[in-house]
């Protein structure tokens, strides 16, 4: 209710319809457009959304789903996860004993960006600045459209031929072209009365462009994407993929039944041990239960957890351990396929947990 207003603007769409569509989208891993296309021809899905007669028109526009998710924000999406867990406990799909022993791990929520290279980012930033200037009615004598396109094509050819000095020259040219557009817009877009750029989008693009021009190969907190500036480069030590571009996500699952009991996204790339306290606190608020054993990998050494549970770090499983402890520590690896399942099959569930998405 706090997300909507009864008097201003068009009345909001029925909440049951939006929540039901959200569940169907996550269950079948569909895009917004695919979801509504299948909804129109599936009477069972329409009944699930609360309709009593077959519908021949779409209930919402596909863009309404993304706007609705932004409006309700992560804390209310988190409430839906809480309802799922409570329903599973009532149906006895999860026992109270399953909540006493949990596994915790971190993964990377990858964003939909191209592999970042400086040359592409220079070209993309210049095109976005020129487009925004045209929308605002700012006349530019030169946009360098032809020069930038030719430089990008030459750079790709020189790189493929391993002529790296020539490729570096074309990359420098793209950087110079971006710098010229930035300097021209900083002069023309400034308001004479306030001395600042009034348009927020243009001001944001200019800030990112200046940040892009200043960064080098060894810079920290680099900009990897213009449409998702919060993206970080995270190394997880995987052989097939050395670096992943996105944000770090902490995942809590029950040790025995492998139910997801909490998902929390973090800004930047914090140390795994510094995420443990937040993950366990979220799990306790969602389930209303306090775990007794928390099993983690060696990445959590030096953690910040100060609760009542016992944190067991899987290092070396000795034969001197009792059988129940050996089984408990070996069971920690069950969270790994769960991580990959969420990333590859249901990436939208991880996206819902991030306030910056």
């Amino acid at each position: 209710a706090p997300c909507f207003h009864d008097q201003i603007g068009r009345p909001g769409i029925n909440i049951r319809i939006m929540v039901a569509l959200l569940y169907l989208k996550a269950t079948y891993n569909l895009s917004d457009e695919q979801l509504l296309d299948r909804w129109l021809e599936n009477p069972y899905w329409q009944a699930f959304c609360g309709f009593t007669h077959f519908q021949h028109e779409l209930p919402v526009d596909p863009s309404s789903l993304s706007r609705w998710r932004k409006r309700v924000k992560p804390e209310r999406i988190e409430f839906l996860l809480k309802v799922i867990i409570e329903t599973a406990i009532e149906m006895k799909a999860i026992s109270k004993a399953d909540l006493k022993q949990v596994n915790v791990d971190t993964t990377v929520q990858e964003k939909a960006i191209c592999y970042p290279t400086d040359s592409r980012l220079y070209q993309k930033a210049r095109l976005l600045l020129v487009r925004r200037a045209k929308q605002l009615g700012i006349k530019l004598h030169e946009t360098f459209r032809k020069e930038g396109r030719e430089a990008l094509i030459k750079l790709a050819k020189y790189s493929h031929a391993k002529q790296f000095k020539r490729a570096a020259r074309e990359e420098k040219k793209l950087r110079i072209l971006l710098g010229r557009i930035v300097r021209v817009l900083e002069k023309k877009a400034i308001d004479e009365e306030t001395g600042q750029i009034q348009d927020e989008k243009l001001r944001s693009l200019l800030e990112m462009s200046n940040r892009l021009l200043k960064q080098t190969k060894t810079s920290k907190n680099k900009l990897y994407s213009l449409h998702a500036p919060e993206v970080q480069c995270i190394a997880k030590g995987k052989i097939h993929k050395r670096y992943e571009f996105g944000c770090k996500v902490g995942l809590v699952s029950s040790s025995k039944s492998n139910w997801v009991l909490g998902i929390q996204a973090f800004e930047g790339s914090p140390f795994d041990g510094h995420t443990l306290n937040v993950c366990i606190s979220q799990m306790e608020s969602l389930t209303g239960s306090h775990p007794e054993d928390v099993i983690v990998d060696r990445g959590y050494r030096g953690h910040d957890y100060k609760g009542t549970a016992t944190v067991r770090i899987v290092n070396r499983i000795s034969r001197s351990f009792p059988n129940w402890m050996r089984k408990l520590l070996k069971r920690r690896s069950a969270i790994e396929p769960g991580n990959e399942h969420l990333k590859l099959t249901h990436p939208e569930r991880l996206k819902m947990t991030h306030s910056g998405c």
Side-chain angles (χ1 to χ4, degrees):
C3 300
F4 303 92
H5 200 284
D6 296 332
Q7 298 177 356
I8 299 177
R10 189 180 67 179
I13 301 167
N14 192 315
I15 300 297
R16 174 174 176 178
I17 296 176
M18 302 304 294
V19 173
L21 289 173
L22 184 67
Y23 279 128
L24 291 170
K25 174 182 172 65
T27 302
Y28 294 97
N29 191 27
L30 301 172
S31 67
D32 294 342
E33 291 77 10
Q34 292 172 340
L35 170 69
L36 292 174
D37 288 342
R38 290 183 59 176
W39 184 92
L40 198 60
E41 61 186 20
N42 195 323
Y44 299 102
W45 284 17
Q46 295 183 11
F48 179 68
C49 293
F51 291 95
T52 56
H53 296 81
F54 188 78
Q55 303 296 310
H56 299 276
E57 296 181 357
L58 295 176
V60 295
D61 188 82
S63 60
S64 298
L65 290 168
S66 59
R67 286 197 295 269
W68 188 85
R69 286 193 294 268
K70 291 179 181 178
R71 179 175 291 182
V72 297
K73 297 183 179 179
E75 56 269 16
R76 295 182 178 90
I77 298 294
E78 188 178 274
F79 174 76
L80 299 181
L81 176 59
K82 181 179 181 180
V83 173
I84 293 175
I85 295 173
E86 291 175 350
T87 305
I89 294 174
E90 290 178 4
M91 296 174 61
K92 297 183 179 180
I94 305 177
S95 64
K96 292 293 182 68
D98 288 348
L99 304 178
K100 298 300 180 183
Q101 297 171 337
V102 297
N103 298 327
V104 182
D105 196 15
T106 59
T107 186
V108 179
Q109 173 207 325
E110 292 187 274
K111 296 296 185 72
I113 67 170
C114 296
Y115 189 85
T117 59
D118 290 341
S119 55
R120 283 192 203 152
L121 289 173
Y122 294 148
Q123 176 77 347
K124 182 72 173 179
R126 186 183 57 79
L127 292 176
L128 290 175
L129 287 172
V130 171
R131 182 190 305 170
R132 189 57 184 171
K134 185 177 180 180
Q135 292 172 352
L136 297 175
I138 301 175
K139 293 184 179 180
L140 297 174
H141 295 293
E142 294 178 305
T143 61
F144 307 111
R145 179 180 178 181
K146 182 179 178 181
E147 293 87 341
R149 183 172 178 272
E150 290 179 352
L152 194 65
I153 293 173
K154 286 182 180 180
L155 188 146
K157 291 180 177 180
Y158 289 147
S159 298
H160 180 72
K162 296 184 179 181
Q163 299 177 7
F164 299 116
K165 288 186 178 180
R166 291 179 175 177
R169 186 176 64 229
E170 299 301 326
E171 182 177 318
K172 183 179 179 181
K173 184 177 180 180
L174 288 169
R175 185 174 180 275
I176 291 172
L177 295 179
L178 173 60
R180 291 177 66 176
I181 291 292
V182 168
R183 289 189 292 272
V184 169
L185 285 177
E186 286 178 342
K187 292 179 181 179
K188 290 191 173 184
I190 290 179
D191 188 10
E192 295 180 357
E193 297 180 358
T194 60
Q196 295 180 351
I197 299 174
Q198 297 295 324
D199 186 66
E200 183 178 354
K201 186 174 181 180
L202 179 60
R203 185 169 61 249
S204 176
L205 286 173
L206 287 172
E207 289 175 357
M208 288 191 291
S209 298
N210 283 316
R211 180 181 166 188
L212 184 61
L213 290 170
K214 292 178 182 178
Q215 72 183 24
T216 60
K217 184 177 181 180
T218 57
S219 299
K220 294 184 178 180
N221 300 320
K222 295 180 68 175
L223 181 66
Y224 296 101
S225 174
L226 294 169
H227 74 273
E230 72 276 3
V231 166
Q232 297 286 328
C233 179
I234 302 174
K236 295 292 286 184
K238 297 179 181 178
I239 296 176
H240 67 285
K241 189 184 293 186
R242 293 183 60 190
Y243 302 102
E244 294 177 288
F245 298 94
C247 69
K248 185 168 286 190
V249 175
L251 190 72
V252 183
S253 68
S254 57
S255 179
K256 184 177 180 181
S257 55
N258 216 27
W259 272 79
V260 175
L261 304 176
I263 305 177
Q264 181 66 45
F266 301 95
E267 293 290 340
S269 178
F271 166 56
D272 286 359
H274 294 164
T275 66
L276 184 60
N277 196 40
V278 177
C279 291
I280 297 300
S281 299
Q282 185 200 39
M283 176 259 175
E284 291 175 346
S285 65
L286 292 178
T287 62
S289 176
H290 300 280
E292 296 178 357
D293 296 295
V294 178
I295 303 93
V296 297
D297 58 14
R298 286 180 291 177
Y300 286 84
R301 289 176 294 185
H303 58 80
D304 61 350
Y305 179 65
K306 298 179 181 178
T308 58
T310 302
V311 179
R312 304 184 184 278
I313 301 176
V314 179
N315 187 1
R316 182 177 61 87
I317 302 175
S318 174
R319 291 187 178 183
S320 61
F321 294 166
N323 288 334
W324 67 269
M325 186 181 292
R326 279 190 287 170
K327 290 181 180 179
L328 187 65
L329 296 179
K330 287 182 178 180
R331 184 62 186 167
R332 194 219 68 87
S333 59
I335 197 173
E336 298 292 349
N339 288 345
E340 294 302 316
H341 175 68
L342 285 175
K343 290 174 64 175
L344 301 178
T345 312
H346 299 287
E348 191 66 30
R349 296 186 182 180
L350 288 178
K351 293 179 183 179
M352 292 174 189
T353 64
H354 197 296
S355 59
C357 292

